[in-house]
Amino acid sequence: MGSAAYTKDYLQVYLVPVTSMDDDGNPIYENGIDISGKLYGKEDWTLYTGQAKVPTAGYYNLVFRWQNALISAYGTPKYLPAAVDSITVKEVSCMPVAEIMADSIAYSSATVRWSSDNRKQTIYEYAVIKDGDTFDGSSADLESTTENSVRLEGLTPNTAYRIYVRTFCDNVVYTDWVNTLFETPCYIDTIDLEHSFADDFEAYSNSDLDCWRQYSTLYSGVYWGCANDNVYSGTQVLYLRKHTSTMTENNTAWMLRDVYLKPGLNYQVTFYAKQDKSVNNGTGIAVAIGDADATDE
């Protein structure tokens, strides 16, 4: 047992309506409910658990289908014997949530919805963490609801989150956690007399410019990034970086940031820039925002 020659043999389990039989009296498993998927060879006894939602009441065949897949070079079937023991069929009293998804996502909020087939009194526990953080199911991180959705507030813009949801039935039974990932968009500043936009590029690392988007022409060899040399003010400056040792002609490198402007108002954009070979090994352009004196053009 366990030979690599038999790795394609598998066991599969279905619930098939008794009305779905072929002319020879065999169940048509393609019309049934696959409750196991393909189970490949295990040398030790292994517990498998499969669940299914039955669409209509009636009589079903519990079908165990073993499939042999390999024929030797001499036409002799090669197979891995299978054994089954201790079969149980019972109603599941507490089902995990399904079809979990986030929608109505704003820069600091989102709604997460899910479906549930539980017939008993149900509470849903959930936890929201930043993607990449560790979640251990600690009660300190948990909140609860009796609804099939939750509105999340106070989120950080431009951040990936993962929400974990589990079912708690009859104050006794917990299901496994189900999770989904979503990401909040960048905050878009509204510019008027009460609020202006400013960015000193101090918070960024290398070419990770947060809500600034950048594009360059194909194979241009340049991109926008931050460094701490040739600064105008503070400790960092944004400059056009050279990605390769050579550069093609007619290059374009874009850097974009969304802001909201109100109709009928007059706006002014100010920034400091320099263009010379001292800017980060000759790439040529540096941009900064500050209040000190500078040469205007």
Side-chain angles (χ1 to χ4, degrees), residues 124-140:
Y124 303 102
E125 294 188 337
Y126 65 92
V128 182
I129 64 172
K130 291 183 178 180
D131 188 43
D133 290 351
T134 300
F135 174 64
D136 61 5
S138 171
S139 59

Side-chain angles (χ1 to χ4, degrees), residues 67-206:
Q67 177 65 53
N68 168 242
L70 183 65
I71 299 295
S72 74
Y74 302 100
T76 304
K78 299 287 187 178
Y79 66 93
L80 183 66
V84 178
D85 198 2
S86 300
I87 301 169
T88 61
V89 180
K90 62 181 180 180
E91 181 187 1
V92 179
S93 61
C94 195
M95 291 287 291
V97 303
E99 300 175 338
I100 182 172
M101 62 174 295
D103 60 21
S104 303
I105 303 173
Y107 65 87
S108 64
S109 62
T111 298
V112 179
R113 309 179 192 275
W114 56 85
S115 61
S116 173
D117 291 326
N118 292 292
R119 296 190 291 117
K120 298 185 177 183
Q121 180 183 0
T122 302
I123 297 174
Y124 303 102
E125 294 188 337
Y126 65 92
V128 182
I129 64 172
K130 291 183 178 180
D131 188 43
D133 290 351
T134 300
F135 174 64
D136 61 5
S138 171
S139 59
D141 300 323
L142 304 183
E143 298 185 58
S144 63
T145 180
T146 57
E147 304 296 327
N148 283 33
S149 66
V150 62
R151 181 66 177 171
L152 307 176
E153 303 284 354
L155 303 177
T156 302
N158 193 33
T159 303
Y161 287 94
R162 192 170 293 275
I163 180 171
Y164 291 82
V165 182
R166 71 177 177 183
T167 310
F168 184 33
C169 301
D170 292 338
N171 296 319
V172 176
V173 181
Y174 289 100
T175 67
D176 292 335
W177 291 101
V178 179
N179 71 85
T180 191
L181 179 70
F182 66 93
E183 185 172 353
T184 55
C186 289
Y187 176 78
I188 299 178
D189 292 83
T190 297
I191 313 302
D192 54 23
L193 289 177
E194 297 179 354
H195 180 76
S196 60
F197 171 79
D199 196 340
D200 58 10
F201 310 115
E202 294 293 306
Y204 308 137
S205 175
N206 200 351

Side-chain angles (χ1 to χ4, degrees), residues 5-297:
Y6 310 121
T7 55
K8 293 184 179 181
D9 292 2
Y10 62 88
L11 187 69
Q12 199 160 6
V13 186
Y14 301 85
L15 290 172
V16 182
V18 296
T19 55
S20 186
M21 309 289 284
D22 63 20
D23 294 338
D24 296 323
N26 298 314
I28 304 175
Y29 65 87
E30 295 93 337
N31 296 339
I33 304 170
D34 181 1
I35 61 174
S36 69
K38 295 179 179 179
L39 309 178
Y40 292 92
K42 297 283 188 179
E43 293 190 1
D44 298 322
W45 284 106
T46 303
L47 175 64
Y48 295 100
T49 301
Q51 296 181 349
K53 182 179 180 181
V54 178
T56 57
Y59 292 100
Y60 287 78
N61 283 307
L62 178 59
V63 178
F64 286 78
R65 174 177 177 259
W66 174 80
Q67 177 65 53
N68 168 242
L70 183 65
I71 299 295
S72 74
Y74 302 100
T76 304
K78 299 287 187 178
Y79 66 93
L80 183 66
V84 178
D85 198 2
S86 300
I87 301 169
T88 61
V89 180
K90 62 181 180 180
E91 181 187 1
V92 179
S93 61
C94 195
M95 291 287 291
V97 303
E99 300 175 338
I100 182 172
M101 62 174 295
D103 60 21
S104 303
I105 303 173
Y107 65 87
S108 64
S109 62
T111 298
V112 179
R113 309 179 192 275
W114 56 85
S115 61
S116 173
D117 291 326
N118 292 292
R119 296 190 291 117
K120 298 185 177 183
Q121 180 183 0
T122 302
I123 297 174
Y124 303 102
E125 294 188 337
Y126 65 92
V128 182
I129 64 172
K130 291 183 178 180
D131 188 43
D133 290 351
T134 300
F135 174 64
D136 61 5
S138 171
S139 59
D141 300 323
L142 304 183
E143 298 185 58
S144 63
T145 180
T146 57
E147 304 296 327
N148 283 33
S149 66
V150 62
R151 181 66 177 171
L152 307 176
E153 303 284 354
L155 303 177
T156 302
N158 193 33
T159 303
Y161 287 94
R162 192 170 293 275
I163 180 171
Y164 291 82
V165 182
R166 71 177 177 183
T167 310
F168 184 33
C169 301
D170 292 338
N171 296 319
V172 176
V173 181
Y174 289 100
T175 67
D176 292 335
W177 291 101
V178 179
N179 71 85
T180 191
L181 179 70
F182 66 93
E183 185 172 353
T184 55
C186 289
Y187 176 78
I188 299 178
D189 292 83
T190 297
I191 313 302
D192 54 23
L193 289 177
E194 297 179 354
H195 180 76
S196 60
F197 171 79
D199 196 340
D200 58 10
F201 310 115
E202 294 293 306
Y204 308 137
S205 175
N206 200 351
S207 60
D208 182 5
L209 303 181
D210 196 35
C211 291
W212 287 96
R213 308 186 306 280
Q214 59 172 308
Y215 306 95
S216 60
T217 52
L218 190 62
Y219 306 122
S220 67
V222 294
Y223 65 98
W224 294 97
C226 289
N228 55 12
D229 58 345
N230 279 286
V231 299
Y232 168 72
S233 64
T235 62
Q236 273 198 158
V237 67
L238 181 70
Y239 66 96
L240 198 61
R241 304 188 64 173
K242 184 164 56 176
H243 183 63
T244 61
S245 58
T246 60
M247 189 180 298
T248 60
E249 297 180 352
N250 298 318
N251 297 303
T252 302
W254 300 90
M255 185 179 70
L256 304 86
R257 176 71 178 258
D258 294 333
V259 294
Y260 181 78
L261 306 180
K262 297 181 177 180
L265 301 184
N266 296 313
Y267 290 93
Q268 179 186 64
V269 177
T270 60
F271 60 94
Y272 295 94
K274 64 183 300 186
Q275 295 172 273
D276 63 46
K277 292 184 178 181
S278 69
V279 178
N280 200 61
N281 299 320
T283 48
I285 299 176
V287 180
I289 294 178
D291 295 324
D293 293 336
T295 301
D296 296 328
E297 290 190 2

